[in-house]
Amino acid sequence: MRTPKALPTLVATAALLALTGCGTERAADTGAGAGAPATPGEGRRISATQVAHVTDVHEATGMTLLEGPVLDERGRGLTLVDVTAPPGEPKVLSVDVASGKHKGLYTDKTGAYTSAQVSPYDDRLYLSDFATGAVVSVARDGSDPRTFFTGEVDGARMTPDDIAFDDAGHLYISDAQGTEPDESDGRIVRIDRDGKKTTVLADGLAQPNGIMFDPERRGLWISELAKDTVSYLLLDAEKTTVASRHEAIHVDGGLAQTDSIAVDADGNLYQGLHGRPAIAVYSEYGARLATVEIPAKDAAGLKSATNVAITPGGKKAYMTVSGSDGGYVYGFTALGKGIRQSNGG
């Protein structure tokens, strides 16, 4: 998910998303070969099948964009967000992956939510709102909304994109600053679990998007949409300082760009792609292991696969896919079992 610095209305949000990482129209016009078998260098092909048609394109915004999938402990209930849903229409939804039935859980007047993840500290669902720069939380059923954080971080308002949690419940956010090709204003920000103290862990990033801990919770994988690069940030023991940082994977996505990241129990990375409805799967050492793809007959109207959720303790996985045909959930078999880092963000 990519965001501009100022979004006065949700309609403006949708229009600007269409020009940035959450709506790369140039890639959408080409089809990007989404339905073709994985080519040499893309690993083996994993076929995904449709689970649910969740949303249609909104008349008010001209888009729909599903993100932030989070599974419950049974692996049956999937919670997700629709980034471009207008006021009054569901912005947080739940999907029964067995039946495909879905319902709205939460909406408001101003939010444009780009990610969701459940805190291990209070079991609430946290949502990043790039329209206002805030982070809000709701109960798992969408009730009891609260503002967790709002305001500036080191003199600049955030445009929060994706979220990760450490085991203690502290938040780590990709702050997607900068909308021009030559801008590198993006940051990785830590917010302590009380919502009061903020720390900039890394800056100078080119539109950071995906963020997720490795299975050992030693460091963060982050993607930079404007560079099609995944980097690894090794943290200190307190997770308040970056001990080392390096570019780890260069994603050969062509017109597609790096979106959100999930990690399985074996350390494999599931890199969402915007501009192609597919997921690139890498080992922790950068080898391209597989490409998850939707059927060719679906590819023309679906242009992005933003994120992945893997069943806790199992390999059933679900990815959020969107385009001019609407917002969908597709299922596939993951390479490794699901853990907390396999859900949301």
Side-chain angles (χ1 to χ4, degrees), residues 209-225:
N209 193 314
I211 180 170
M212 191 54 61
F213 275 95
D214 58 23
E216 295 77 23
R217 281 83 69 197
R218 294 176 302 188
L220 291 164
W221 294 105
I222 64 168
S223 63
E224 293 176 75
L225 181 137

Side-chain angles (χ1 to χ4, degrees), residues 231-256:
S231 295
Y232 184 71
L233 277 58
L234 179 65
L235 303 181
D236 66 354
E238 289 75 30
K239 296 181 173 58
T240 57
T241 303
V242 173
S244 66
R245 164 180 160 186
H246 70 276
E247 293 185 355
I249 299 169
H250 294 270
V251 179
D252 296 325
L255 293 176

Side-chain angles (χ1 to χ4, degrees), residues 10-76:
L10 193 56
V11 173
T13 297
L16 286 163
L17 280 168
L19 298 175
T20 54
C22 272
T24 309
E25 294 302 314
R26 190 174 157 199
D29 290 341
T30 69
T39 57
E42 291 197 338
R44 66 184 179 92
R45 183 178 188 271
I46 298 175
S47 298
T49 57
Q50 184 179 314
V51 172
H53 179 186
V54 182
T55 58
D56 293 311
V57 171
H58 304 289
E59 183 178 353
T61 60
M63 292 182 66
T64 183
L65 184 64
L66 302 185
E67 258 278 24
V70 182
L71 281 163
D72 63 20
E73 291 76 10
R74 299 180 303 155
R76 176 163 176 158

Side-chain angles (χ1 to χ4, degrees), residues 109-198:
K109 294 181 179 180
T110 60
Y113 300 110
T114 54
S115 66
Q117 194 172 89
V118 173
S119 168
Y121 177 66
D122 60 11
D123 198 45
R124 290 174 61 85
L125 186 72
Y126 283 71
L127 310 168
S128 54
D129 179 5
F130 70 79
T132 68
V135 177
V136 304
S137 74
V138 296
R140 297 288 288 269
D141 64 0
S143 64
D144 188 28
R146 305 174 188 174
T147 299
F148 170 75
F149 177 82
T150 189
E152 295 184 345
V153 176
D154 285 6
R157 195 190 79 171
M158 290 196 301
T159 51
D161 201 324
D162 283 5
I163 295 174
F165 280 100
D166 64 22
D167 291 343
H170 305 302
L171 282 76
Y172 301 77
I173 295 177
S174 55
D175 180 14
Q177 300 280 349
T179 59
E180 299 300 324
D182 60 346
E183 287 186 313
S184 297
D185 299 330
R187 305 180 292 184
I188 301 299
V189 176
R190 169 183 157 134
I191 305 177
D192 285 10
R193 70 186 185 198
D194 61 6
K196 297 179 180 179
K197 182 180 179 181
T198 62

